């Protein structure tokens, strides 16, 4: 229990540092460097590409170096990158160092997730994943609230703050075991082959929807500074308002922990498939702050459920391995990259006159992602063991 508390403290701290740069950077570049929506989407694309690379290689590198050593190296690298931005946050440095931070984060989070879930049966894993999700999600709105005033009055301070908290995380990592201990293959709490078939269908559904959600969320992250600016809010208020999405994601995590009836059920994921594009459109086309905030709320609740389901089903199916966590984070990173790339393609259509305005262009670019992922998600639900269909209950685990 003491080790879990230590890991949750690391998670909270690292999420704070991650969000200050990962999300706050777009407000910084729009306010301080004059970046356009297209420039912010290019920045998001660079971050996403390196994030995928880090996540994909996390398992392979951790097998050579050990999870604790690799995690320490990632935290040290982040500290140096944040310090570099504190010294020089010009356009070129922002692109290069933000990209480096993306790769470090992509490799870092699978290690933490594996430590959190390793050695736990399905019920204990659900509780641990819930606490982990709340720990990182709770710090996100706080980070965004803190970022706005720092951008306005002490821009270098946001990067110095990140460097300091990474040093704190590095100290907390030192007492962890060199490698997380997993359940043995024959352990009675490992899922049966029949159960794994059902979990597989729900896992594929949640992962397809997760990809669509993070693709569209990163388009929102890059465009929301301009949306709130047009609505008349300065950067200190705009960053806080953008955090409603993250606050509602936290609410979704709390609900998922308090009510575990969503386990093995198809309808919550089916609802999220519909809610994500509805929230996305509300934010981009709301036109009034109330509608924009309502869109954030709907999107945040949906992405929270999908994230939790994808991580939980993956950890149970693959015994909390770094490889499974790496796949989870790689999907998130692919969303970080695919969403901005689609948005840039749509903006290019707007520039060419094929569609009207950058917002409409970005939406046109993202619609195929929503459509393809929704089709794949529904297909996975349909083919899940026990005939899982939207609105139906999946077969409960044998012996439960």
């Amino acid at each position: 229990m003491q080790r879990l508390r230590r890991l949750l403290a690391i998670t909270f701290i690292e999420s704070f540092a991650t969000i200050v740069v990962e999300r706050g950077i777009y407000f910084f570049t729009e306010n301080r460097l004059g970046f356009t929506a297209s420039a912010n989407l290019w920045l998001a694309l660079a971050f996403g590409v390196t994030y995928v690379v880090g996540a994909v290689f996390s398992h392979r590198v951790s097998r050579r170096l050990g999870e604790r050593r690799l995690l320490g190296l990632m935290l040290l690298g982040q500290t140096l990158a944040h310090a570099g931005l504190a010294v020089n946050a010009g356009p070129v440095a922002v692109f290069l160092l933000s990209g480096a931070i993306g790769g470090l984060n992509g490799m870092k989070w699978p290690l933490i997730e594996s430590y959190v879930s390793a050695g736990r049966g399905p019920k204990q894993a659900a509780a641990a994943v819930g606490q982990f999700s709340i720990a990182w999600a709770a710090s996100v709105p706080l980070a965004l609230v803190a970022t706005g005033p720092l951008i306005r009055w002490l821009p270098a301070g946001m990067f110095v703050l990140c460097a300091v908290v990474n040093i704190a995380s590095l100290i907390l990592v030192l007492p962890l075991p060199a490698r997380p201990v997993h359940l043995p293959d024959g352990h009675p709490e490992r899922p049966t082959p029949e159960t794994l078939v059902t979990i597989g269908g729900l896992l594929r559904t949640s992962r397809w929807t997760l990809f669509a959600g993070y693709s569209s969320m990163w388009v929102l992250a890059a465009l929301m500074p301009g949306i709130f600016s047009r609505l008349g809010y300065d950067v200190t208020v705009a960053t806080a308002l953008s955090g409603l999405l993250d606050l509602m994601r936290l609410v979704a995590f709390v609900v998922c922990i308090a009510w575990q009836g969503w386990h093995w059920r198809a309808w919550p994921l089916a609802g999220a498939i519909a809610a994500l594009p509805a929230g996305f459109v509300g934010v981009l086309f709301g036109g009034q702050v109330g509608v924009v905030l309502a869109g954030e709320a709907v999107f945040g609740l949906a992405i929270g459920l999908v994230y939790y389901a994808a991580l939980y089903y993956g950890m149970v199916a693959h015994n909390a391995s770094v490889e499974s966590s790496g796949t989870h984070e790689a999907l998130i990173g692919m969303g970080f990259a695919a969403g901005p790339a689609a948005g840039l393609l749509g903006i290019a259509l707007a520039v060419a006159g094929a569609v009207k305005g950058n917002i409409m262009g970005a939406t046109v670019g993202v619609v195929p992602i929503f459509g393809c992922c929704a089709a794949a998600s529904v297909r996975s639900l349909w083919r899940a063991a026990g005939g899982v269909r939207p609105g139906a209950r999946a077969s409960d685990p044998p012996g439960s």
Side-chain angles (χ1 to χ4, degrees), residues 46-106:
F47 182 94
V49 169
T50 56
Y51 195 103
V52 172
V53 174
V56 167
F57 284 97
S58 60
H59 174 63
R60 188 177 304 175
V61 180
S62 68
R63 290 183 65 180
R64 288 175 175 253
L65 298 181
E67 285 83 348
R68 183 184 61 193
R69 181 181 298 174
L70 181 58
L71 181 55
L73 290 173
M74 294 303 98
L75 295 175
L76 180 60
Q78 286 182 201
T79 303
L80 295 175
H82 291 141
L85 284 170
V87 174
N88 177 13
V92 174
V94 164
F95 265 94
L96 293 177
L97 292 177
S98 178
I101 291 169
L104 295 167
N105 269 281

Short mmCIF file of all heavy atoms in Angstrom, two decimals, residues 46-106:
data_model
loop_
_atom_site.label_atom_id
_atom_site.label_comp_id
_atom_site.label_asym_id
_atom_site.label_seq_id
_atom_site.Cartn_x
_atom_site.Cartn_y
_atom_site.Cartn_z
N ALA A 46 4.22 17.23 -34.01
CA ALA A 46 5.58 16.87 -33.62
C ALA A 46 5.60 16.15 -32.27
O ALA A 46 6.29 15.14 -32.10
CB ALA A 46 6.46 18.12 -33.57
N PHE A 47 4.82 16.66 -31.33
CA PHE A 47 4.74 16.04 -30.01
C PHE A 47 4.18 14.62 -30.13
O PHE A 47 4.69 13.68 -29.52
CB PHE A 47 3.85 16.89 -29.10
CG PHE A 47 3.73 16.37 -27.70
CD1 PHE A 47 4.57 16.84 -26.70
CD2 PHE A 47 2.78 15.42 -27.36
CE1 PHE A 47 4.46 16.37 -25.39
CE2 PHE A 47 2.66 14.95 -26.07
CZ PHE A 47 3.51 15.42 -25.08
N GLY A 48 3.12 14.46 -30.93
CA GLY A 48 2.48 13.17 -31.06
C GLY A 48 3.38 12.12 -31.69
O GLY A 48 3.42 10.96 -31.24
N VAL A 49 4.13 12.49 -32.71
CA VAL A 49 5.01 11.54 -33.39
C VAL A 49 6.06 11.00 -32.43
O VAL A 49 6.31 9.78 -32.35
CB VAL A 49 5.66 12.19 -34.62
CG1 VAL A 49 6.78 11.31 -35.17
CG2 VAL A 49 4.61 12.44 -35.70
N THR A 50 6.71 11.91 -31.68
CA THR A 50 7.75 11.45 -30.76
C THR A 50 7.15 10.66 -29.60
O THR A 50 7.78 9.73 -29.08
CB THR A 50 8.56 12.64 -30.23
OG1 THR A 50 7.68 13.59 -29.60
CG2 THR A 50 9.31 13.34 -31.35
N TYR A 51 5.93 11.01 -29.19
CA TYR A 51 5.26 10.28 -28.12
C TYR A 51 5.05 8.82 -28.52
O TYR A 51 5.28 7.90 -27.73
CB TYR A 51 3.92 10.94 -27.81
CG TYR A 51 3.27 10.52 -26.51
CD1 TYR A 51 3.31 11.34 -25.39
CD2 TYR A 51 2.57 9.32 -26.41
CE1 TYR A 51 2.70 10.96 -24.20
CE2 TYR A 51 1.96 8.93 -25.23
CZ TYR A 51 2.03 9.76 -24.12
OH TYR A 51 1.42 9.38 -22.96
N VAL A 52 4.62 8.61 -29.76
CA VAL A 52 4.41 7.25 -30.25
C VAL A 52 5.72 6.47 -30.22
O VAL A 52 5.76 5.31 -29.78
CB VAL A 52 3.85 7.27 -31.68
CG1 VAL A 52 3.83 5.86 -32.27
CG2 VAL A 52 2.44 7.85 -31.69
N VAL A 53 6.79 7.08 -30.70
CA VAL A 53 8.09 6.40 -30.72
C VAL A 53 8.50 5.98 -29.31
O VAL A 53 8.93 4.84 -29.08
CB VAL A 53 9.16 7.31 -31.35
CG1 VAL A 53 10.54 6.67 -31.23
CG2 VAL A 53 8.83 7.58 -32.82
N GLY A 54 8.36 6.90 -28.35
CA GLY A 54 8.71 6.57 -26.97
C GLY A 54 7.87 5.42 -26.43
O GLY A 54 8.40 4.50 -25.79
N ALA A 55 6.56 5.45 -26.67
CA ALA A 55 5.68 4.42 -26.14
C ALA A 55 5.97 3.06 -26.77
O ALA A 55 5.97 2.03 -26.09
CB ALA A 55 4.22 4.82 -26.37
N VAL A 56 6.20 3.03 -28.07
CA VAL A 56 6.44 1.77 -28.78
C VAL A 56 7.72 1.09 -28.28
O VAL A 56 7.76 -0.15 -28.13
CB VAL A 56 6.52 2.03 -30.29
CG1 VAL A 56 7.09 0.81 -31.02
CG2 VAL A 56 5.15 2.37 -30.85
N PHE A 57 8.73 1.86 -27.98
CA PHE A 57 10.02 1.28 -27.57
C PHE A 57 10.17 1.13 -26.06
O PHE A 57 11.19 0.62 -25.59
CB PHE A 57 11.18 2.12 -28.12
CG PHE A 57 11.42 1.91 -29.59
CD1 PHE A 57 10.89 2.78 -30.53
CD2 PHE A 57 12.16 0.82 -30.04
CE1 PHE A 57 11.10 2.59 -31.88
CE2 PHE A 57 12.38 0.62 -31.39
CZ PHE A 57 11.84 1.51 -32.32
N SER A 58 9.17 1.55 -25.28
CA SER A 58 9.31 1.50 -23.82
C SER A 58 9.51 0.07 -23.32
O SER A 58 10.35 -0.17 -22.44
CB SER A 58 8.07 2.12 -23.15
OG SER A 58 6.90 1.43 -23.54
N HIS A 59 8.77 -0.89 -23.87
CA HIS A 59 8.89 -2.28 -23.42
C HIS A 59 10.27 -2.83 -23.74
O HIS A 59 10.94 -3.44 -22.89
CB HIS A 59 7.80 -3.12 -24.07
CG HIS A 59 7.91 -4.59 -23.78
ND1 HIS A 59 7.80 -5.11 -22.51
CD2 HIS A 59 8.14 -5.66 -24.60
CE1 HIS A 59 7.94 -6.42 -22.55
NE2 HIS A 59 8.17 -6.78 -23.80
N ARG A 60 10.71 -2.61 -24.97
CA ARG A 60 11.99 -3.16 -25.41
C ARG A 60 13.16 -2.58 -24.60
O ARG A 60 14.06 -3.31 -24.16
CB ARG A 60 12.19 -2.88 -26.90
CG ARG A 60 13.39 -3.56 -27.52
CD ARG A 60 13.46 -3.27 -29.01
NE ARG A 60 12.23 -3.65 -29.69
CZ ARG A 60 11.99 -3.42 -30.97
NH1 ARG A 60 12.90 -2.78 -31.72
NH2 ARG A 60 10.86 -3.81 -31.52
N VAL A 61 13.13 -1.27 -24.39
CA VAL A 61 14.23 -0.63 -23.65
C VAL A 61 14.18 -1.02 -22.18
O VAL A 61 15.23 -1.25 -21.55
CB VAL A 61 14.17 0.90 -23.81
CG1 VAL A 61 15.30 1.56 -23.04
CG2 VAL A 61 14.25 1.28 -25.29
N SER A 62 12.99 -1.14 -21.60
CA SER A 62 12.89 -1.49 -20.18
C SER A 62 13.39 -2.90 -19.92
O SER A 62 13.91 -3.19 -18.83
CB SER A 62 11.44 -1.34 -19.69
OG SER A 62 10.59 -2.30 -20.28
N ARG A 63 13.25 -3.79 -20.89
CA ARG A 63 13.78 -5.15 -20.70
C ARG A 63 15.29 -5.15 -20.61
O ARG A 63 15.88 -6.02 -19.95
CB ARG A 63 13.32 -6.04 -21.87
CG ARG A 63 11.83 -6.35 -21.86
CD ARG A 63 11.43 -7.27 -22.98
NE ARG A 63 12.04 -8.60 -22.82
CZ ARG A 63 11.85 -9.61 -23.67
NH1 ARG A 63 11.07 -9.43 -24.74
NH2 ARG A 63 12.42 -10.77 -23.47
N ARG A 64 15.93 -4.21 -21.26
CA ARG A 64 17.39 -4.13 -21.22
C ARG A 64 17.89 -3.40 -19.97
O ARG A 64 18.85 -3.84 -19.32
CB ARG A 64 17.92 -3.42 -22.46
CG ARG A 64 17.82 -4.23 -23.74
CD ARG A 64 18.26 -3.41 -24.93
NE ARG A 64 18.28 -4.22 -26.15
CZ ARG A 64 19.37 -4.64 -26.76
NH1 ARG A 64 20.55 -4.36 -26.27
NH2 ARG A 64 19.29 -5.36 -27.86
N LEU A 65 17.25 -2.28 -19.65
CA LEU A 65 17.75 -1.41 -18.58
C LEU A 65 17.08 -1.65 -17.24
O LEU A 65 17.66 -1.31 -16.19
CB LEU A 65 17.58 0.06 -18.97
CG LEU A 65 18.32 0.55 -20.21
CD1 LEU A 65 18.06 2.04 -20.43
CD2 LEU A 65 19.81 0.28 -20.11
N GLY A 66 15.87 -2.19 -17.24
CA GLY A 66 15.08 -2.27 -16.02
C GLY A 66 14.15 -1.07 -15.93
O GLY A 66 14.51 0.04 -16.33
N GLU A 67 12.94 -1.31 -15.39
CA GLU A 67 11.92 -0.27 -15.38
C GLU A 67 12.32 0.94 -14.52
O GLU A 67 12.13 2.09 -14.93
CB GLU A 67 10.58 -0.84 -14.88
CG GLU A 67 9.85 -1.70 -15.91
CD GLU A 67 10.33 -3.14 -15.96
OE1 GLU A 67 11.40 -3.43 -15.37
OE2 GLU A 67 9.66 -3.98 -16.60
N ARG A 68 12.86 0.68 -13.33
CA ARG A 68 13.19 1.82 -12.45
C ARG A 68 14.30 2.67 -13.04
O ARG A 68 14.20 3.91 -13.04
CB ARG A 68 13.62 1.31 -11.07
CG ARG A 68 13.91 2.46 -10.07
CD ARG A 68 14.41 1.92 -8.75
NE ARG A 68 15.65 1.18 -8.91
CZ ARG A 68 16.18 0.38 -7.98
NH1 ARG A 68 15.55 0.23 -6.82
NH2 ARG A 68 17.31 -0.25 -8.19
N ARG A 69 15.33 2.05 -13.58
CA ARG A 69 16.43 2.82 -14.16
C ARG A 69 15.95 3.65 -15.35
O ARG A 69 16.30 4.83 -15.48
CB ARG A 69 17.55 1.88 -14.59
CG ARG A 69 18.77 2.61 -15.17
CD ARG A 69 19.84 1.62 -15.60
NE ARG A 69 20.32 0.84 -14.46
CZ ARG A 69 21.18 -0.18 -14.57
NH1 ARG A 69 21.62 -0.55 -15.77
NH2 ARG A 69 21.58 -0.83 -13.50
N LEU A 70 15.14 3.03 -16.21
CA LEU A 70 14.64 3.75 -17.38
C LEU A 70 13.73 4.90 -16.96
O LEU A 70 13.82 6.00 -17.53
CB LEU A 70 13.89 2.80 -18.30
CG LEU A 70 13.32 3.41 -19.59
CD1 LEU A 70 14.42 4.05 -20.42
CD2 LEU A 70 12.58 2.35 -20.40
N LEU A 71 12.89 4.67 -15.95
CA LEU A 71 12.01 5.74 -15.48
C LEU A 71 12.82 6.91 -14.94
O LEU A 71 12.51 8.08 -15.21
CB LEU A 71 11.07 5.19 -14.40
CG LEU A 71 10.05 6.15 -13.79
CD1 LEU A 71 9.20 6.80 -14.87
CD2 LEU A 71 9.18 5.41 -12.78
N GLY A 72 13.87 6.62 -14.20
CA GLY A 72 14.73 7.68 -13.70
C GLY A 72 15.38 8.48 -14.82
O GLY A 72 15.47 9.71 -14.76
N LEU A 73 15.83 7.78 -15.85
CA LEU A 73 16.45 8.47 -17.00
C LEU A 73 15.45 9.36 -17.72
O LEU A 73 15.78 10.47 -18.16
CB LEU A 73 17.03 7.45 -17.97
CG LEU A 73 18.28 6.68 -17.48
CD1 LEU A 73 18.64 5.59 -18.47
CD2 LEU A 73 19.45 7.65 -17.30
N MET A 74 14.20 8.90 -17.83
CA MET A 74 13.17 9.72 -18.48
C MET A 74 12.90 11.00 -17.68
O MET A 74 12.74 12.08 -18.25
CB MET A 74 11.86 8.92 -18.63
CG MET A 74 11.94 7.72 -19.56
SD MET A 74 12.47 8.13 -21.25
CE MET A 74 14.22 7.71 -21.16
N LEU A 75 12.84 10.87 -16.37
CA LEU A 75 12.60 12.05 -15.53
C LEU A 75 13.77 13.02 -15.59
O LEU A 75 13.57 14.24 -15.62
CB LEU A 75 12.35 11.60 -14.08
CG LEU A 75 11.08 10.78 -13.85
CD1 LEU A 75 11.02 10.28 -12.41
CD2 LEU A 75 9.85 11.59 -14.19
N LEU A 76 14.99 12.49 -15.63
CA LEU A 76 16.16 13.35 -15.77
C LEU A 76 16.13 14.07 -17.11
O LEU A 76 16.42 15.28 -17.19
CB LEU A 76 17.43 12.51 -15.62
CG LEU A 76 18.76 13.27 -15.73
CD1 LEU A 76 18.86 14.35 -14.65
CD2 LEU A 76 19.93 12.30 -15.65
N GLY A 77 15.78 13.35 -18.17
CA GLY A 77 15.69 13.97 -19.49
C GLY A 77 14.65 15.07 -19.53
O GLY A 77 14.87 16.14 -20.13
N GLN A 78 13.49 14.84 -18.91
CA GLN A 78 12.46 15.87 -18.87
C GLN A 78 12.93 17.11 -18.12
O GLN A 78 12.65 18.24 -18.53
CB GLN A 78 11.19 15.32 -18.20
CG GLN A 78 10.41 14.35 -19.06
CD GLN A 78 9.14 13.87 -18.40
OE1 GLN A 78 8.61 12.84 -18.77
NE2 GLN A 78 8.65 14.60 -17.42
N THR A 79 13.63 16.89 -17.02
CA THR A 79 14.16 18.02 -16.24
C THR A 79 15.06 18.89 -17.10
O THR A 79 14.96 20.13 -17.09
CB THR A 79 14.93 17.51 -15.01
OG1 THR A 79 14.07 16.70 -14.21
CG2 THR A 79 15.44 18.68 -14.16
N LEU A 80 15.94 18.25 -17.86
CA LEU A 80 16.86 19.01 -18.72
C LEU A 80 16.11 19.73 -19.83
O LEU A 80 16.42 20.87 -20.18
CB LEU A 80 17.89 18.06 -19.31
CG LEU A 80 18.85 17.41 -18.30
CD1 LEU A 80 19.75 16.38 -19.00
CD2 LEU A 80 19.69 18.46 -17.59
N ALA A 81 15.09 19.08 -20.41
CA ALA A 81 14.32 19.71 -21.48
C ALA A 81 13.54 20.92 -20.96
O ALA A 81 13.49 21.97 -21.62
CB ALA A 81 13.36 18.69 -22.10
N HIS A 82 12.93 20.78 -19.79
CA HIS A 82 12.20 21.91 -19.21
C HIS A 82 13.16 23.05 -18.87
O HIS A 82 12.82 24.23 -19.07
CB HIS A 82 11.46 21.46 -17.95
CG HIS A 82 10.31 20.54 -18.24
ND1 HIS A 82 10.02 19.45 -17.45
CD2 HIS A 82 9.39 20.54 -19.23
CE1 HIS A 82 8.95 18.84 -17.94
NE2 HIS A 82 8.57 19.47 -19.02
N ALA A 83 14.34 22.72 -18.36
CA ALA A 83 15.32 23.76 -18.07
C ALA A 83 15.75 24.47 -19.34
O ALA A 83 15.95 25.69 -19.36
CB ALA A 83 16.53 23.14 -17.36
N GLY A 84 15.88 23.70 -20.43
CA GLY A 84 16.23 24.31 -21.71
C GLY A 84 15.18 25.29 -22.18
O GLY A 84 15.51 26.37 -22.70
N LEU A 85 13.90 24.96 -22.00
CA LEU A 85 12.83 25.88 -22.39
C LEU A 85 12.80 27.12 -21.50
O LEU A 85 12.43 28.21 -21.95
CB LEU A 85 11.48 25.16 -22.32
CG LEU A 85 11.19 24.18 -23.46
CD1 LEU A 85 9.94 23.36 -23.17
CD2 LEU A 85 11.03 24.93 -24.79
N ALA A 86 13.20 26.96 -20.24
CA ALA A 86 13.25 28.12 -19.35
C ALA A 86 14.31 29.12 -19.83
O ALA A 86 14.15 30.34 -19.68
CB ALA A 86 13.54 27.68 -17.92
N VAL A 87 15.38 28.60 -20.40
CA VAL A 87 16.46 29.46 -20.90
C VAL A 87 16.11 30.05 -22.26
O VAL A 87 16.36 31.23 -22.54
CB VAL A 87 17.78 28.66 -20.98
CG1 VAL A 87 18.88 29.50 -21.63
CG2 VAL A 87 18.20 28.21 -19.59
N ASN A 88 15.52 29.22 -23.14
CA ASN A 88 15.22 29.67 -24.50
C ASN A 88 13.90 29.04 -24.94
O ASN A 88 13.83 27.84 -25.18
CB ASN A 88 16.34 29.27 -25.46
CG ASN A 88 16.02 29.65 -26.90
OD1 ASN A 88 15.10 30.42 -27.17
ND2 ASN A 88 16.79 29.11 -27.84
N ALA A 89 12.85 29.85 -25.04
CA ALA A 89 11.54 29.36 -25.48
C ALA A 89 11.15 30.03 -26.79
O ALA A 89 9.99 30.41 -26.99
CB ALA A 89 10.49 29.61 -24.40
N GLY A 90 12.12 30.17 -27.70
CA GLY A 90 11.82 30.68 -29.03
C GLY A 90 11.13 29.61 -29.86
O GLY A 90 11.06 28.44 -29.45
N PRO A 91 10.64 29.94 -31.04
CA PRO A 91 9.89 28.98 -31.86
C PRO A 91 10.64 27.69 -32.15
O PRO A 91 10.07 26.60 -32.02
CB PRO A 91 9.61 29.78 -33.14
CG PRO A 91 9.62 31.21 -32.72
CD PRO A 91 10.66 31.29 -31.64
N VAL A 92 11.91 27.79 -32.54
CA VAL A 92 12.66 26.58 -32.87
C VAL A 92 12.87 25.71 -31.63
O VAL A 92 12.67 24.48 -31.66
CB VAL A 92 14.02 26.93 -33.51
CG1 VAL A 92 14.86 25.68 -33.72
CG2 VAL A 92 13.81 27.67 -34.83
N ALA A 93 13.25 26.35 -30.52
CA ALA A 93 13.46 25.61 -29.28
C ALA A 93 12.18 24.94 -28.80
O ALA A 93 12.19 23.81 -28.31
CB ALA A 93 14.01 26.55 -28.21
N VAL A 94 11.06 25.63 -28.95
CA VAL A 94 9.78 25.06 -28.53
C VAL A 94 9.48 23.80 -29.33
O VAL A 94 9.08 22.77 -28.78
CB VAL A 94 8.65 26.10 -28.66
CG1 VAL A 94 7.29 25.41 -28.61
CG2 VAL A 94 8.75 27.13 -27.56
N PHE A 95 9.67 23.85 -30.64
CA PHE A 95 9.42 22.67 -31.46
C PHE A 95 10.34 21.51 -31.08
O PHE A 95 9.90 20.38 -30.91
CB PHE A 95 9.57 23.01 -32.94
CG PHE A 95 8.28 23.37 -33.62
CD1 PHE A 95 7.89 24.69 -33.73
CD2 PHE A 95 7.46 22.38 -34.14
CE1 PHE A 95 6.69 25.02 -34.35
CE2 PHE A 95 6.27 22.69 -34.77
CZ PHE A 95 5.88 24.02 -34.88
N LEU A 96 11.63 21.80 -30.95
CA LEU A 96 12.59 20.73 -30.68
C LEU A 96 12.42 20.13 -29.30
O LEU A 96 12.36 18.90 -29.13
CB LEU A 96 14.01 21.27 -30.85
CG LEU A 96 14.43 21.66 -32.28
CD1 LEU A 96 15.84 22.23 -32.27
CD2 LEU A 96 14.35 20.45 -33.21
N LEU A 97 12.31 20.98 -28.29
CA LEU A 97 12.25 20.49 -26.91
C LEU A 97 10.87 19.94 -26.57
O LEU A 97 10.75 18.99 -25.79
CB LEU A 97 12.65 21.59 -25.94
CG LEU A 97 14.14 21.98 -26.02
CD1 LEU A 97 14.46 23.13 -25.07
CD2 LEU A 97 15.03 20.77 -25.71
N SER A 98 9.82 20.51 -27.14
CA SER A 98 8.48 19.92 -26.94
C SER A 98 8.43 18.53 -27.56
O SER A 98 7.85 17.60 -26.98
CB SER A 98 7.41 20.82 -27.57
OG SER A 98 6.13 20.25 -27.41
N GLY A 99 9.06 18.37 -28.73
CA GLY A 99 9.13 17.04 -29.33
C GLY A 99 9.90 16.06 -28.47
O GLY A 99 9.51 14.90 -28.32
N ALA A 100 11.01 16.53 -27.88
CA ALA A 100 11.78 15.66 -26.99
C ALA A 100 10.97 15.26 -25.78
O ALA A 100 10.98 14.08 -25.35
CB ALA A 100 13.07 16.38 -26.56
N ILE A 101 10.24 16.20 -25.21
CA ILE A 101 9.39 15.91 -24.05
C ILE A 101 8.31 14.90 -24.43
O ILE A 101 7.94 14.03 -23.63
CB ILE A 101 8.78 17.21 -23.50
CG1 ILE A 101 9.88 18.08 -22.86
CG2 ILE A 101 7.68 16.93 -22.48
CD1 ILE A 101 9.44 19.49 -22.52
N GLY A 102 7.79 14.98 -25.66
CA GLY A 102 6.82 14.00 -26.12
C GLY A 102 7.38 12.59 -26.08
O GLY A 102 6.74 11.66 -25.57
N GLY A 103 8.59 12.40 -26.61
CA GLY A 103 9.20 11.08 -26.59
C GLY A 103 9.47 10.56 -25.18
O GLY A 103 9.24 9.39 -24.88
N LEU A 104 9.94 11.44 -24.31
CA LEU A 104 10.21 11.05 -22.92
C LEU A 104 8.93 10.66 -22.20
O LEU A 104 8.89 9.69 -21.43
CB LEU A 104 10.90 12.21 -22.20
CG LEU A 104 12.31 12.57 -22.71
CD1 LEU A 104 12.76 13.91 -22.15
CD2 LEU A 104 13.31 11.47 -22.35
N ASN A 105 7.86 11.42 -22.44
CA ASN A 105 6.57 11.09 -21.82
C ASN A 105 6.01 9.78 -22.35
O ASN A 105 5.46 8.98 -21.59
CB ASN A 105 5.57 12.22 -22.08
CG ASN A 105 5.58 13.26 -20.98
OD1 ASN A 105 5.00 13.06 -19.92
ND2 ASN A 105 6.24 14.37 -21.24
N GLY A 106 6.13 9.56 -23.66
CA GLY A 106 5.64 8.32 -24.24
C GLY A 106 6.31 7.10 -23.66
O GLY A 106 5.69 6.04 -23.50
#
